Amino acid sequence: MPVKGLRPWQRPLAYGTAALAGFIVAVLVFNAPFWARQPEPGLLGLIAHRGVHQTYPREGLTNDTCTAERIEAPRHDYLENTLHSMQAAFDAGADVVELDVHPTTDGKLAVFHDWTIDCRTEGSGVTREQTMAVLKSLDIGHGYTADAGATFPFRGSGIGLMPSLDEVLDAFPDRHFLVNFKSNEAREGDLVADLVAGRPDWQERIWGAYGGDPPTYRLNDRLPGIHVWARRGLMDCLFGYAGLGWIGHVPEACRDTMVMVPINMAPFLWGWPELFVKRMADAGSGVILLGPYGAGDPGTAGIDALDQLAAVPAGFSGYLWTNRIELIGPELARQNPHRRASPPAL
């Protein structure tokens, strides 16, 4: 800012304003994404949440919402967390399928999302208080309705479709799964590790784990090298980086983990996307891009629509999380027929 002609008392303000402007420019240049730009950036993989499944409006969700009672008009006949839905997800281009587990009273791990069986099935009670045989006798399509109970399009079609984790791992050679623990019981991590110990060829199929911290980190102790993260640590990571990332600082909560980033928060992260992803990689972490975060949504939104996919920066080189793999996978394949089809790195 020119100071000639300014009165003496105005000159310190002019110098200060110029210094502040120069500082801001320097910070922006220091955090410009082009510092980490690669010749051919690309996605590392697609994570299909619950496989191909029935979707539902996310507004007003709570942890106790029965999502089967609010599904959108069905576009297909797949039910979440089943072998059929997982196969469909892989066929559509998924690199990793996310699934949910609960221990049963007879030592199995049931693949099922809900804490109780009341919402989706004709049964009642806590999922982990049942035997695997009882869970397999249930109709997991019983409770689905898109019209407030006028019709139940999947009733009777889901009998016997709830798999155990060992069935899943046995059914999909050379495929990869992300395990979601639904409790804070460390023993669940041991159950998964013990299962793999009996079948060493299954170990590479466990790509990662998240959910309750005790079982997640117990599994990581037993199966080192898998991807693990804690939800609480994610907020510490993102807010810490938003506050100090402008000087290149990566908070401890961002190190040696997977960082889940809602797409509507991503532009506020210093160096997004290339430099941010590089800083996380240098700290031993990967990045998973989610759908937009919204108040009152306790679940995990995904990149679930074509306009959301179009908003993913071309320079993003992490993982995409989606609830609509049957839509997003084929569209990505159409855009890039040569997209890597090899297993994602552990």
Side-chain angles (χ1 to χ4, degrees):
M1 176 181 293
V3 296
K4 185 178 180 179
L6 292 179
R7 296 177 180 178
W9 64 269
Q10 293 175 318
R11 291 178 181 177
L13 179 61
Y15 284 123
T17 302
L20 178 60
F23 175 75
I24 292 173
V25 170
V27 168
L28 293 176
V29 170
F30 177 70
N31 288 280
F34 62 72
W35 293 116
R37 191 155 290 162
Q38 301 175 4
E40 295 182 2
L43 294 178
L44 296 180
L46 280 171
I47 302 174
H49 187 214
R50 307 190 201 179
V52 177
H53 65 279
Q54 302 301 318
T55 55
Y56 43 84
R58 307 190 67 85
E59 295 79 8
L61 287 179
T62 71
N63 288 326
D64 298 321
T65 300
C66 176
T67 55
E69 293 178 348
R70 58 183 294 171
I71 61 169
E72 297 161 339
R75 306 179 185 92
H76 52 72
D77 59 1
Y78 293 105
L79 300 174
E80 65 182 52
N81 281 315
T82 63
L83 297 181
H84 298 88
S85 74
M86 295 172 197
Q87 183 64 63
F90 289 126
D91 290 344
D95 297 281
V96 179
V97 166
E98 187 265 9
L99 53 78
D100 310 284
V101 297
H102 295 268
T104 64
T105 58
D106 51 350
K108 293 285 190 177
L109 282 162
V111 179
F112 188 68
H113 176 269
D114 298 351
W115 186 258
T116 72
I117 55 177
D118 300 60
C119 169
R120 299 180 198 280
T121 83
E122 73 276 30
S124 64
V126 176
T127 304
R128 64 190 54 224
E129 293 177 359
Q130 319 299 321
T131 65
M132 195 68 228
V134 167
L135 294 176
K136 278 191 169 295
S137 72
L138 299 173
D139 175 13
I140 62 171
H142 183 85
Y144 284 84
T145 179
D147 50 18
T151 60
F152 293 87
F154 304 110
R155 184 164 288 184
S157 67
I159 300 172
L161 294 189
M162 189 189 306
S164 59
L165 182 59
D166 56 311
E167 289 178 298
V168 171
L169 297 178
D170 194 44
F172 295 100
D174 303 319
R175 297 297 191 176
H176 297 84
F177 297 92
L178 170 61
V179 176
N180 183 11
F181 293 111
K182 310 305 290 187
S183 84
N184 288 314
E185 297 183 31
R187 70 183 179 99
E188 293 184 31
D190 284 322
L191 285 172
V192 175
D194 290 343
L195 192 65
V196 169
R199 284 287 303 272
D201 57 307
W202 288 353
Q203 180 161 345
E204 290 189 358
R205 300 177 201 181
I206 305 295
W207 179 83
Y210 76 115
D213 289 1
T216 296
Y217 290 109
R218 177 67 63 84
L219 181 59
N220 190 43
D221 289 341
R222 301 269 314 264
L223 298 179
I226 67 173
H227 300 289
V228 297
W229 64 93
R231 287 185 180 274
R232 184 171 183 176
L234 289 174
M235 301 310 295
D236 293 339
C237 167
L238 294 179
F239 284 113
Y241 183 82
L244 292 174
W246 62 275
I247 58 172
H249 174 71
V250 177
E252 189 62 34
C254 296
R255 297 179 178 274
D256 299 314
T257 186
M258 295 295 289
V259 181
M260 301 177 83
V261 179
I263 194 170
N264 54 343
M265 293 179 61
F268 300 100
L269 299 172
W270 297 101
W272 176 260
E274 293 100 330
L275 187 57
F276 174 79
V277 172
K278 181 181 185 301
R279 286 173 175 171
M280 295 301 110
D282 291 344
S285 298
V287 179
I288 301 173
L289 188 62
L290 306 177
Y293 173 79
D297 182 357
T300 307
I303 304 299
D304 299 335
L306 296 183
D307 60 337
Q308 293 174 344
L309 181 61
V312 176
F316 177 68
S317 56
Y319 296 89
L320 289 188
W321 182 284
T322 181
N323 293 290
R324 294 287 312 282
I325 184 63
E326 73 280 8
L327 173 69
I328 300 302
E331 176 60 21
L332 276 175
R334 186 192 67 79
Q335 295 177 10
N336 182 6
H338 305 294
R339 191 180 80 84
R340 178 195 52 76
S342 59
L346 293 175

